Amino acid sequence: MKCEELGFKLQSSSYQGLWTLDPSVVFLNHGSYGACPKAVLAAQQSLRSQLEQDPVNFFGRKWEPLLDNARSQLAAFIHADIQDLVFVPNATTGVNSVLRSLHFAPDDEILTTNHEYNACRNALNFITSRTGARVVVAQIPFPVESPQQIIAAVLEQVSPKTRLALLDHITSQTGLIFPIAQLVKELQARGVETLIDGAHAPGMIALNMAEIGATYYTGNCHKWLSAPKGAAFLYVRRDKQPEIHPLTISHGANSPRTDKSRFQLEFDWTGTDDPTAYMCVPEAIALMGSLLPGGWVELMQRNHQLVIQARQLLCTILPVQPPCPAEMIGSMAVVPMPVSLANQNHIWLHDELLDQFSIQVQVVPWTESPGMLIRISAQIYNTLEQYEYLATALKYCLKQN
């Protein structure tokens, strides 16, 4: 089934040529793994060439200044102190690094929500199975009407035994922006430290680490920031840094250096790998911020407005109700599937859309009604016409069921 058969002749966005994305696929899933622009990949390849021309010289002389420069520019972008940041390969590694560093007792409780990312929930299960601590799950309603419902659901589960709260800033399954700054403030007032999984936040919404106030915060640079795969950060509040260690213990653990904190010495070098993804974060920040006259502010507003338009279009055609207010999403939104589609296997629907219509979009199984969600992303290379095509394809699938 081709788009022409449904009456569509899709025109490529003028920005799509900046990426290596397959032009024959309607790519509506920037949220899963991001997509790195050609210019940033070229910068990474240049660094890789330098590395391989003389690995000893690169790691001996060039590596640390390049890493520090990347950290400095990322710190400015997310309004953090450079001393509080280290690079990690992805946000899941950041979450695991914190959880594996902390000590929990059998009476301790770790609070999370039913919207938590599966990989991070697995990390919680791993920790509690070895320490005897208990995971407490706050049930966030979905559909949801306001941020206050999220705050109330989380705070209701706090007890004197709550040691830590692991919360998403932007949920992967449902695309909700949690009111993180207010949650952190309320939890800290109750003596609860906070670990924020901000995998989707950098580049989707404006970030200010000082205003958020979390004890620990980790975010990906390869998603909405559009850096190469394998670039993420971990922020740790200064007073907690001596407790937090990387998953791999290496030379930094006993380095005699005093010009950097033990926190950064340990995380910066965990063994030989390819650090060029980290070093290209400044290139990604600069490139994405140059695409529109209003820079990053306009880019984030543009993507938000596009996904709101796309969500409304899908909801009207299917027809279903939007599951949350527009202000609770960034540039990623979910639409509940009608019952006839929700009863199908989510893998079937994903494959049907890809194989029959050349549409790459996330189909999310959901444990509660309606049982299946379509998650759309909006990046600058996307157009409203692409979502119109998705709506038509979904309508065709509805007729087949």
Side-chain angles (χ1 to χ4, degrees), residues 46-280:
S46 175
L47 286 168
R48 283 174 166 165
S49 296
Q50 293 178 49
L51 190 162
E52 296 302 338
Q53 284 167 6
D54 188 341
V56 175
N57 185 59
F58 186 89
F59 284 117
R61 296 181 178 181
K62 296 182 178 181
W63 159 78
E64 192 166 28
L66 286 167
L67 192 71
D68 285 342
N69 173 63
R71 179 171 19 228
S72 175
Q73 295 200 44
L74 176 62
F77 186 75
I78 64 172
H79 297 90
D81 193 307
I82 189 173
Q83 296 181 60
D84 300 332
L85 289 182
V86 291
F87 284 107
V88 289
N90 48 63
T92 302
T93 300
V95 167
N96 275 268
S97 297
V98 173
L99 292 176
R100 297 288 292 274
S101 296
L102 299 176
H103 300 284
F104 296 98
D107 286 339
D108 291 337
E109 293 178 351
I110 306 174
L111 177 58
T112 191
T113 78
N114 58 323
H115 292 240
E116 183 54 60
Y117 187 53
N118 181 63
C120 296
R121 177 55 198 265
N122 285 341
L124 282 181
N125 293 344
F126 178 87
I127 292 298
T128 55
S129 69
R130 283 156 176 77
T131 63
R134 188 169 73 95
V135 178
V136 175
V137 181
Q139 297 295 320
I140 308 297
F142 192 77
V144 63
E145 296 177 359
S146 74
Q148 289 304 317
Q149 285 183 283
I150 298 173
I151 294 170
V154 170
L155 296 182
E156 185 180 3
Q157 296 302 321
V158 175
S159 81
K161 297 180 179 180
T162 309
R163 279 275 316 282
L164 179 74
L166 169 58
L167 303 171
D168 291 271
H169 196 161
I170 300 170
T171 61
S172 176
Q173 296 166 290
T174 50
L176 295 173
I177 300 175
F178 276 15
I180 283 299
Q182 191 171 350
L183 279 168
V184 167
K185 181 179 179 181
E186 296 286 351
L187 288 165
Q188 286 183 344
R190 292 160 173 78
V192 179
E193 304 291 356
T194 48
L195 168 56
I196 307 304
D197 176 5
H200 287 275
M204 185 193 288
I205 60 175
L207 282 181
N208 188 314
M209 291 296 108
E211 289 182 0
I212 291 171
T215 318
Y216 317 99
Y217 190 109
T218 184
N220 287 321
C221 300
H222 68 259
K223 289 183 183 283
W224 300 95
L225 210 55
S226 294
K229 309 295 182 290
F233 70 86
L234 173 63
Y235 163 92
V236 177
R237 201 174 67 204
R238 196 78 50 88
D239 63 304
K240 295 293 184 178
Q241 289 175 12
E243 302 175 35
I244 306 302
H245 307 279
L247 297 177
T248 301
I249 302 302
S250 188
H251 295 293
N254 68 344
S255 171
R257 290 176 58 177
T258 57
D259 58 317
K260 283 189 173 182
S261 66
R262 183 71 54 195
F263 172 62
Q264 290 189 338
L265 288 171
E266 286 199 51
F267 274 92
D268 284 0
W269 185 267
T270 58
T272 305
D273 62 5
D274 182 351
T276 57
Y278 303 150
M279 297 168 182
C280 290

Side-chain angles (χ1 to χ4, degrees), residues 378-396:
Q379 186 49 280
I380 194 169
Y381 53 72
N382 293 125
T383 65
L384 187 60
E385 187 183 27
Q386 292 177 322
Y387 304 99
E388 292 172 349
Y389 174 51
L390 169 62
T392 303
L394 286 169
K395 196 172 181 180
Y396 179 89

